[in-house]
Amino acid sequence: MTFPYTGWVLMPSFKPVETIFVEAARYSEGWHRSEGGKTYSTQNIYATKDAAIAAGHIDLNQQQAALDKKQANINKRRAALEKAAGEAKP
């Protein structure tokens, strides 16, 4: 990789932002430093805006799957409590 180069990153708000990277981060393999001084993992730097957006959709799908799994566990626990409460009543 030659510096400087332009890449796309997703902000915590999932907004894709074009960023210029000026050097490899010192003491951190696989990280690049932007003009503003912030470091980004090379796994989170994308060549195009479309690639960053696609990665954001994949991440959101993974987050949704994790939430669905947690909701299923909550529903099972609620059912167990309701069953126990129904058995306790004469």
Side-chain angles (χ1 to χ4, degrees):
M1 180 65 55
T2 58
F3 294 95
Y5 74 94
T6 302
W8 288 85
V9 296
L10 288 175
M11 303 311 293
S13 65
F14 277 67
K15 178 182 177 184
V17 175
E18 189 173 31
T19 305
I20 297 173
F21 296 93
V22 294
E23 66 181 356
R26 294 186 181 104
Y27 310 112
S28 299
E29 190 173 322
W31 291 75
H32 291 172
R33 187 173 312 284
S34 70
E35 278 184 324
K38 187 170 181 183
T39 56
Y40 294 89
S41 168
T42 54
Q43 294 177 353
N44 296 326
I45 300 172
Y46 305 96
T48 65
K49 183 178 182 179
D50 289 338
I53 291 170
H57 281 292
I58 290 169
D59 191 31
L60 287 175
N61 289 340
Q62 291 172 343
Q63 289 180 29
Q64 185 64 55
L67 286 174
D68 292 346
K69 185 176 179 180
K70 286 181 182 182
Q71 186 62 52
N73 286 337
I74 289 170
N75 291 342
K76 287 178 187 176
R77 290 175 181 163
R78 182 173 287 121
L81 286 173
E82 289 171 3
K83 181 180 177 183
E87 290 172 357
K89 294 180 182 178

